[in-house]
């Protein structure tokens, strides 16, 4: 049966001309236009056509660049905000949207059409890049609700908040079917069940865009949705982000491509190509899958957009030169910074015949059809003149926050309850754990900033409610009281013991590959220590676990009287209290199986399941089970070998600029500016700019091993650069000068170089200088004489 794609009119027939809609397919739903996309295409220059396929990041362009090149679309990456401020207020978003729009609409000579640009964003759990927006629970939590109507309403609320700021397009929903909990994007997946992912993915698309055929479809307050990432992102070997997916193609598609036919039938306007490879071929360059399968077999006629420099990972390609992606079926290159080089290369390649003009026209026509469907072509209003634009009362509106609170309550999964839940009226409650009053931690990644957490505070989430605030209000309403107890005081025996203790703990925020894990053990034992301390005082305990995935929790489950998986609830922490106090009945069920072991290989093989997918308790007290096995060999392994890698500091490692802390080696202080750069993936490396007389220190677990640093130098230092790990200073300016312009290299620093290789490494520069660093590791095996640059 035909899948009725929305944009059937833009599917190109051989030779690049537009094909008529096939039997049983839907005709384009945009209103009739005086100037059709085909007519616009016929009047465009080669340079303007190519520009329609280029999507730069707002951090790397200005409105004047848009006026000059006329990009088809722009985006804001996770760490990009208007005017260089990733915490910019909502008004700045709308102001800049107008500026980009006006630049793209400025008249062109010779009657060439001036075509509006589109602005795309990663609104993956609400319009969460914008302070004050409603931050909904991440997809894994929505999967625990299994409530399609709820998800549809969340999509609609998200679209309204996006429309307030004048943006057009979101890179959501993620319809990955995650299969390995080690994957750092597990929380972006609704479930390991393809059927549930399909159902909730369609609901989110319908919320964002409207239901196909309904009067409000793509109307005011609606935005373009993106089904991502096609396909296999949730099935990589060992859960490695952007890694390899191997196996029988039909079997892989049955799991990982399962959500796409329904998404296409629902009218999704765009599909994003995945970073991963399928059986050795990178998806961005996989014509058999992007064209033959996605276009041919599945009938998708919309826009295929690339991911962040994903085309540059194709063998033989770079970020600035990659005809292979367009030839494979990509329509829009997401090229955050190298847009100028890519534009020039594509123009040249079309002129040379490397890229057939028909293929270029086919891709451009798809982009124009997308704009037509959104009503962004002839007669379209600038962002600030659209119906919901500038209605700031809709951003974090009370009805949206109430919806998010409902979602939080429905997502909580009770794994254990021996009778302590619901908490009785009038109870005296102790609340403990760093995460209890920590809105950035409960929001997780993709919240104001790409990685979330870090230097974010509650002030960056105006209007939000922490879990502690929700508990305190619920306790008062029930005639009791709640006290926030510092972790150091949890074991104190002074005064009367509370009736119950609630311990809130979990993963620190992360996004994408930064969250990849080698095993399923949580090494932060704050929660475990608190639970045991309260138990030693005979205080009943409730464990509230914040995480982007199930993790091995045997010790914590043993120590708690009730254990609640709260996922990443977002801005409305009061939804947690609704279930703890009985205001909302517990209904959440596990969207993934819960592991019985910290050994991910055992779990992946299905040999170590503690709770099956679909499990979840009500308030009925369960029969106490035998204590769970608390053995985890991985906990005995040293967690401090990696001091910096994949864009994140290792466990127990701190970066300091003088006395200023630089979370995850990012930020500024005392003459140091550390910023993210791309080496193999988005912001997986750092550029460290030293001011005169400044120094950077890394402090980590004690070790006698050598330091291995992967680095590169673009401009040689103008003065001494010293490195120390003890009393002995080594000037490495000469070695750095020799490394200038030679790409990524490795320096190995042992006791022979430094005299001591302890728990501190300090780099100081007398003159302004910049060093780029990809990884820092400790190597116990390196011989004392092995010093190299």
């Amino acid at each position: 049966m035909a899948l009725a794609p929305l944009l059937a009119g833009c599917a190109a027939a051989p030779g690049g001309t537009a094909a008529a809609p096939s039997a049983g397919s839907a005709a384009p739903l945009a209103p009739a236009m005086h100037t059709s996309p085909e007519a616009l295409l016929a009047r465009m220059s080669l340079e303007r056509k190519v520009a329609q396929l280029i999507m730069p990041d707002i951090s790397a362009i200005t409105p004047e660049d848009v006026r000059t090149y006329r990009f088809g679309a722009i985006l804001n990456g996770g760490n990009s905000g208007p005017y260089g401020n990733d915490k910019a207020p909502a008004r700045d978003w709308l102001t800049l949207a107008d500026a980009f729009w006006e630049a793209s609409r400025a008249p062109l000579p010779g009657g060439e059409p001036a075509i509006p640009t589109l602005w795309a964003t990663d609104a993956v759990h609400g319009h969460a890049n914008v302070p004050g927006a409603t931050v909904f629970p991440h997809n894994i939590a929505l999967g625990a609700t299994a409530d399609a109507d709820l998800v549809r309403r969340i999509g609609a609320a998200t679209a309204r908040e996006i429309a307030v700021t004048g943006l057009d397009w979101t890179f959501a929903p993620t319809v990955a079917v995650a299969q390995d909990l080690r994957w750092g994007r597990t929380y972006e997946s609704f479930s390991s069940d393809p059927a549930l992912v399909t159902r909730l993915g369609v609901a989110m698309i319908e919320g964002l865009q409207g239901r196909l055929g309904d009067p409000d479809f793509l109307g005011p307050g609606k935005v373009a949705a993106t089904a991502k990432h096609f396909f296999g992102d949730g099935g990589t070997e060992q859960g490695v982000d952007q890694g390899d997916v191997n196996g029988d193609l039909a079997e892989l598609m049955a799991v990982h491509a399962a959500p796409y036919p329904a998404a296409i039938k629902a009218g999704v306007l765009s599909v994003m190509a995945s970073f991963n490879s399928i059986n050795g071929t990178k998806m961005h360059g996989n014509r058999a899958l992007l064209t033959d399968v996605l276009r041919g077999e599945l009938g998708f006629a919309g826009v295929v957009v690339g991911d962040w420099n994903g085309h540059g990972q194709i063998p033989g390609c770079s970020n600035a030169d990659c005809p292979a992606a367009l030839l494979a079926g990509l329509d829009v290159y997401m090229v955050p910074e190298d847009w100028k080089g890519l534009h020039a290369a594509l123009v040249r390649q079309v002129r040379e015949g490397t890229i057939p003009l028909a293929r270029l026209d086919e891709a451009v026509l798809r982009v124009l059809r997308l704009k037509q469907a959104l009503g962004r072509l002839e007669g379209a209003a600038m962002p600030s003149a659209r119906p919901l634009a500038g209605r700031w009362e809709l951003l974090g509106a009370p009805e949206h926050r109430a919806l998010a609170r409902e979602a939080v309550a429905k997502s909580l999964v009770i794994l254990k309850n021996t009778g302590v839940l619901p908490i009785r009226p009038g109870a005296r409650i102790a609340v403990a754990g760093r995460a209890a009053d920590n809105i950035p931690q409960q929001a997780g990644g993709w919240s104001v900033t790409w990685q979330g957490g870090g230097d974010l505070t509650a002030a960056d989430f105006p209007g939000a409610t922490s879990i502690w605030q929700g508990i305190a209000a619920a306790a008062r309403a029930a005639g009791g009281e709640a006290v926030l107890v510092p972790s150091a005081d949890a074991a104190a025996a002074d005064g009367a013991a509370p009736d119950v203790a609630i311990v809130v703990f979990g993963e620190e925020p992360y996004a994408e590959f930064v969250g990849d894990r080698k095993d399923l053990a949580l090494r932060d034992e704050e929660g475990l220590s608190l639970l045991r301390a309260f138990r030693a005082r005979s205080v009943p305990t409730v464990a509230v676990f914040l995480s982007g995935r199930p993790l091995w929790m045997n010790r914590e489950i043993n120590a708690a009287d009730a254990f609640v998986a709260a996922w990443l609830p977002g801005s409305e922490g009061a939804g947690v209290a609704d279930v703890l106090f009985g205001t909302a009945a517990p209904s959440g069920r596990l969207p993934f199986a819960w592991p019985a072991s910290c050994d991910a290989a055992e779990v992946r093989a299905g040999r170590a399941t503690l709770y099956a997918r679909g499990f979840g308790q009500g308030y009925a007290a369960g029969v106490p089970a035998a204590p769970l096995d608390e053995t985890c060999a991985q906990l005995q392994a040293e967690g401090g070998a990696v001091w910096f890698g994949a864009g994140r500091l290792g466990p127990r490692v701190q970066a300091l600029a003088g006395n200023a802390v630089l979370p995850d080696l990012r930020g500024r202080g005392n003459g140091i500016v550390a910023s993210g750069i791309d080496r193999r993936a988005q912001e997986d490396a750092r550029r460290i700019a030293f001011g005169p007389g400044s120094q950077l220190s890394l402090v980590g677990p004690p070790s006698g091993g050598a330091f291995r640093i992967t680095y590169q130098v673009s401009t040689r230092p103008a003065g001494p650069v010293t490195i120390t790990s003890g009393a002995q200073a080594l000037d490495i300016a000469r070695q750095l000068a020799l490394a200038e312009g030679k790409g990524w290299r490795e320096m190995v620093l042992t006791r022979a170089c430094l005299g001591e290789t302890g728990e501190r490494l300090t780099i100081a520069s007398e003159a302004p200088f910049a060093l780029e660093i990809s990884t820092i590791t400790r190597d116990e095996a390196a011989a004392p004489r092995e010093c190299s640059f």
Side-chain angles (χ1 to χ4, degrees), residues 469-562:
Q469 290 170 322
I471 291 170
R476 288 193 299 271
E481 63 174 349
V483 177
L484 189 62
V485 179
S487 296
D489 297 342
D494 297 338
D499 296 318
V500 64
I502 302 172
V503 177
V504 189
F505 66 101
E507 291 189 288
E508 295 290 334
Y510 55 83
E512 299 192 54
F513 56 86
V514 176
D516 286 357
R517 304 180 63 98
K518 299 292 186 184
D519 57 56
L520 302 179
L522 182 69
R523 286 174 170 76
D524 183 348
E525 297 188 347
E526 183 212 28
L528 177 63
S529 298
L530 288 169
L531 291 167
R532 287 174 172 171
F534 282 116
R535 168 160 284 196
R537 297 174 58 194
S538 299
V539 176
T541 54
V542 178
V544 176
F545 180 49
L546 302 180
S547 73
R549 54 197 150 196
L551 290 176
W552 179 73
M553 286 282 109
N554 287 16
R555 299 178 300 170
E556 289 84 354
I557 293 172
N558 282 342
D561 295 289

Side-chain angles (χ1 to χ4, degrees), residues 229-248:
H229 309 82
F230 186 83
F231 77 93
D233 47 347
T236 58
E237 299 287 338
Q238 300 182 54
V240 174
D241 191 42
Q242 306 184 20
D244 301 322
V245 181
N246 299 300
D248 177 78

Side-chain angles (χ1 to χ4, degrees), residues 32 71 98 161 222 266 295 312 364 407 461 473 527 700-701 718 752:
F71 307 118
D98 272 353
E161 297 201 14
K222 298 299 182 183
R295 299 289 187 194
V364 175
F461 298 83

Side-chain angles (χ1 to χ4, degrees), residues 696-711:
L696 171 73
S697 295
L698 292 174
V699 182
S703 171
F707 291 96
R708 289 186 178 271
I709 305 175
T710 307
Y711 72 102

Side-chain angles (χ1 to χ4, degrees), residues 57-73:
D57 187 85
I58 64 170
S59 65
I61 57 168
T62 65
E64 190 56 39
D65 292 323
V66 174
R67 181 185 298 269
T68 300
Y69 283 87
R70 308 303 173 104
F71 307 118

Side-chain angles (χ1 to χ4, degrees), residues 182-244:
R182 289 172 288 187
W183 187 35
R185 304 190 78 157
T186 297
Y187 64 74
E188 295 186 53
S189 173
F190 291 111
S191 175
S192 59
D193 175 13
L196 182 56
V197 173
T198 298
R199 186 160 60 88
L200 299 187
V202 165
M204 184 64 78
I205 291 165
E206 291 176 339
L208 292 165
Q209 296 188 166
R211 282 182 166 174
L212 194 61
D214 282 0
D216 71 339
F217 181 73
L218 297 180
K222 298 299 182 183
V223 298
T226 307
K228 68 181 189 183
H229 309 82
F230 186 83
F231 77 93
D233 47 347
T236 58
E237 299 287 338
Q238 300 182 54
V240 174
D241 191 42
Q242 306 184 20
D244 301 322

Side-chain angles (χ1 to χ4, degrees), residues 537-610:
R537 297 174 58 194
S538 299
V539 176
T541 54
V542 178
V544 176
F545 180 49
L546 302 180
S547 73
R549 54 197 150 196
L551 290 176
W552 179 73
M553 286 282 109
N554 287 16
R555 299 178 300 170
E556 289 84 354
I557 293 172
N558 282 342
D561 295 289
F563 189 98
V564 179
W567 315 112
L568 298 170
S571 61
E572 307 312 303
V576 175
D578 290 341
V579 171
L580 300 186
F581 286 81
T583 305
S587 60
R589 299 294 181 262
L590 290 178
F592 294 85
W594 199 277
S597 168
C598 68
D599 185 332
E602 288 288 303
V603 174
R604 181 72 179 86
R607 294 191 292 268
T609 297
L610 182 60

